[in-house]
Amino acid sequence: MNFRLFASFILFLFLFHGPAVFSYSFSEVKLKCSKTPNPQPCEYFLSNSPNYGPMLNDPDFLKVSIKLALDRAMHANLNTKSLGTKCRNKLEKAAWDDCLELYDSTIRKLNKTISPCSQEDAQTFLSSALTNLETCRAGFLELGVSDNLLPLMQNNVSKLISNTLAMNKGVYKKASYKGKFPTWVTPGDRKLLQTSTPKANVVVAQDGSGNYKTVAAAVAAAKSSSGRFVIYVKAGVYNEKIEIKAKNIMIVGDGIGKTILTGSKSVGGGSTTFASATLAVVGDGFIGRGFTVRNTAGGKNHQAVALRSGSDLSVFYQCSFEGYQDTLYVHSDRQFYRECDIYGTVDFIFGNAAVVIQNCNIRPRKPPAGTNTITAQGRTDPNQNTGIIIHNCRVTPADELKPVLSSTKNYLGRPWKAYSRTIFMKTFLDGFIKPEGWMEWSGNFALKTLYYGEYANTGAGAATGGRVKWGGYHVLTTAASVSDFTVGNFIAGSSWLPKTNVPFTSGL
């Protein structure tokens, strides 16, 4: 090899990948990486990266792989931040802003995975990290702008995280959660969370009778709180955009239709889906109780989110979510909804969280184009521990849909991503659901790789004889076949939900 060419190659590695410490043998790297879903980026970066630690066995290799994914995510994050000046218009700037937040979240999730945690927690954090990168990319695509601003390394970061998901699942053993409190619950919180009417730290009231007149101002005050921070929001209509980043926040309203949080951002109005949410929650351990969240952009403006949640171990109880397309964005992490009302039209329960929706009313509205799809689950990797589980709910038409039922098509869902996973179990399905039950996204896309299931549903729309014949669709007939999708198993609910004072059914 030409000496100058070789020297240039070494300089390139140093500048773009940091000082290389070639401590892993090529044969060792090749053997280990061959067991992953994406061996090429694994081989390349481990062969040209600092020593991340020993790779003697599978757990050691998993640790090394997570550190590698974190290192590459940090490089990509720096690249993302440097691209701000290249945004040519407001749409590119909107998508870029999302990516800044999502990359920061990915790095936090990977750091949490490196810290001591259970393998079940690790699978959740890794799943969320991968979802964040997909959401970043989607923001550019849905606004119809070029994704050339995205770092070239994003695809490799996604592949490296996908490798860790596969490895972590391979050594995965369910931990016992009996008697344990989740990380966001401190001993001083236990009594507070077990009371039916927790004492508020601050009160929000439009008439000036509380501490604040806006919810956003009260949320800002909660940043300095280290324990559970309870915000009581009195009855009224609060037209504002609210983002909750602090942990352990609880918002209590005066009830559905009384305390109303409302907004109107939408993709049609120049926002990304991610940024359109009236209420966005990312701080872990959020509890919401007794309020309505609306997005009033209307169906003509396409994606317009009422609630977006990426809060791990979060709960919504006796709340209402009202919108049209993309009403409830269950973005990531573990979530639980109980006795809530959910209104919408197209894909109005969507995202890639591990979520159970239990004892809720699901109400399709009059769609702008004649078709309603209740769910659009977004699992992109077969090893993500995510899915939408709808348990013991009621699916009935909203009042505005009833007069036009004969001219509309109503489906349980469609596969937004390749490994879309949705289960309806022990749920009442009214007769307006189409006999085939489910709708294609685009031709044959995902029909064999998705996992859709129905178990012991009731109502005129629950008959499965005319359902789709896709390879990934299943009529489930035994309790054992759905036990993994119960609150107790799917989101380990028995370990943390009792402390929230929200009723739940752990099993079927």
Side-chain angles (χ1 to χ4, degrees):
M1 177 184 289
N2 181 283
F3 177 77
R4 289 185 179 180
L5 182 62
F6 178 77
S8 297
F9 176 70
I10 296 298
L11 180 61
F12 170 83
L13 290 178
F14 181 86
L15 290 176
F16 290 93
H17 303 289
V21 180
F22 300 97
S23 56
Y24 299 130
S25 70
F26 178 76
S27 59
E28 179 185 25
V29 168
K30 190 172 183 63
L31 176 62
K32 292 292 187 183
C33 291
S34 67
K35 300 178 182 179
T36 69
N38 303 289
Q40 288 185 337
C42 174
E43 287 181 21
Y44 177 79
F45 289 111
L46 282 183
S47 297
N48 298 287
S49 297
N51 189 330
Y52 294 107
M55 299 193 303
L56 301 177
N57 51 41
D58 287 347
D60 287 340
F61 183 49
L62 172 60
K63 292 177 183 177
V64 167
S65 298
I66 293 173
K67 290 177 181 178
L68 172 61
L70 174 60
D71 180 53
R72 303 320 306 167
M74 292 174 69
H75 276 74
N77 188 40
L78 289 174
N79 289 340
T80 302
K81 290 179 178 178
S82 71
L83 294 172
T85 57
K86 297 182 182 180
C87 293
R88 296 166 293 186
N89 53 54
K90 290 183 179 180
L91 294 180
E92 287 189 350
K93 179 65 163 54
W96 178 72
D97 284 340
D98 286 355
C99 287
L100 290 181
E101 179 179 345
L102 289 160
Y103 262 106
D104 284 344
S105 177
T106 291
I107 290 169
R108 288 196 301 271
K109 295 295 182 184
L110 292 174
N111 270 315
K112 289 177 71 173
T113 308
I114 290 174
S115 301
C117 68
S118 72
Q119 288 173 312
E120 182 166 328
D121 284 344
Q123 202 72 355
T124 295
F125 303 149
L126 294 170
S127 295
S128 298
L130 189 59
T131 297
N132 288 337
L133 298 184
E134 176 63 25
T135 305
C136 167
R137 186 185 69 86
F140 284 91
L141 299 179
E142 69 188 8
L143 291 179
V145 298
S146 170
D147 63 354
N148 291 334
L149 290 177
L150 292 178
L152 295 177
M153 290 304 304
Q154 175 172 330
N155 189 45
N156 280 328
V157 176
S158 296
K159 289 179 178 178
L160 293 172
I161 294 174
S162 181
N163 286 348
T164 66
L165 276 165
M167 286 185 280
N168 190 62
K169 186 175 182 179
V171 296
Y172 181 90
K173 291 182 180 179
K174 281 196 172 180
S176 172
Y177 287 85
K178 186 176 181 181
K180 295 183 180 180
F181 284 83
T183 55
W184 54 265
V185 177
T186 61
D189 287 330
R190 300 181 189 187
K191 184 177 180 181
L192 169 66
L193 295 176
Q194 290 170 340
T195 60
S196 58
T197 54
K199 182 179 178 181
N201 295 90
V202 296
V203 177
V204 179
Q206 292 176 323
D207 60 7
S209 61
N211 305 95
Y212 300 95
K213 290 186 177 181
T214 67
V215 180
V219 168
K223 291 181 179 179
S224 61
S225 175
S226 58
R228 173 66 58 184
F229 194 96
V230 181
I231 301 171
Y232 166 45
V233 184
K234 289 187 176 182
V237 179
Y238 298 83
N239 192 341
E240 50 182 307
K241 183 174 174 60
I242 304 159
E243 185 168 10
I244 299 175
K245 295 184 177 180
K247 297 180 181 180
N248 309 330
I249 304 298
M250 180 177 186
I251 292 183
V252 181
D254 277 328
I256 291 174
K258 296 179 180 178
T259 297
I260 300 170
L261 314 179
T262 187
S264 59
K265 290 187 175 295
S266 66
V267 170
S271 171
T272 61
T273 300
F274 183 80
S276 70
T278 299
L279 173 62
V281 183
V282 293
D284 291 346
F286 178 83
I287 301 175
R289 178 174 170 181
F291 55 84
T292 292
V293 188
R294 289 177 180 161
N295 190 310
T296 60
K300 65 182 184 298
N301 281 307
H302 308 292
Q303 298 96 323
V305 175
L307 169 71
R308 167 172 55 84
S309 178
S311 169
D312 195 26
L313 305 177
S314 57
V315 181
F316 292 86
Y317 178 49
Q318 294 182 343
C319 292
S320 181
F321 309 104
E322 302 173 7
Y324 289 85
Q325 182 171 348
D326 289 6
T327 302
L328 176 58
Y329 194 174
V330 289
H331 181 261
S332 55
D333 290 302
R334 293 163 288 194
Q335 308 178 23
F336 180 66
Y337 296 76
R338 173 82 180 203
E339 296 174 31
C340 293
D341 299 331
I342 309 168
Y343 294 83
T345 54
V346 179
D347 306 336
F348 65 95
I349 303 173
F350 77 111
N352 197 26
V355 56
V356 179
I357 298 170
Q358 191 175 81
N359 289 50
C360 292
N361 295 308
I362 298 172
R363 310 293 304 278
R365 307 173 77 167
K366 181 181 177 180
T371 300
N372 283 326
T373 45
I374 294 172
T375 64
Q377 205 280 328
R379 193 166 64 136
T380 60
D381 188 290
N383 294 309
Q384 288 179 306
N385 61 349
T386 55
I388 295 173
I389 314 302
I390 295 177
H391 179 210
N392 200 34
C393 293
R394 290 183 59 83
V395 179
T396 58
D399 290 343
E400 67 184 85
L401 178 59
K402 292 177 181 178
V404 296
L405 278 178
S406 62
S407 61
T408 61
K409 298 178 181 179
N410 298 275
Y411 299 94
L412 299 177
R414 59 178 182 157
W416 181 29
K417 301 296 180 182
Y419 297 94
S420 183
R421 179 162 63 178
T422 303
I423 314 295
F424 281 78
M425 55 191 195
K426 301 187 76 172
T427 287
F428 176 83
L429 304 177
D430 212 345
F432 72 117
I433 299 298
K434 293 283 289 181
E436 56 267 39
W438 306 82
M439 179 183 177
E440 297 88 350
W441 184 272
S442 178
N444 292 326
F445 171 73
L447 302 188
K448 293 181 179 180
T449 53
L450 60 78
Y451 188 95
Y452 286 167
E454 295 183 58
Y455 171 77
N457 297 315
T458 59
T464 57
R467 288 296 195 251
V468 294
K469 306 303 180 184
W470 305 341
Y473 172 73
H474 306 273
V475 178
L476 305 172
T477 58
T478 66
S481 66
V482 290
S483 63
D484 285 344
F485 304 118
T486 61
V487 165
N489 289 330
F490 197 62
I491 57 173
S494 298
S495 69
W496 57 279
L497 284 173
K499 296 86 178 178
T500 67
N501 201 51
V502 171
F504 68 96
T505 303
S506 181
L508 290 172

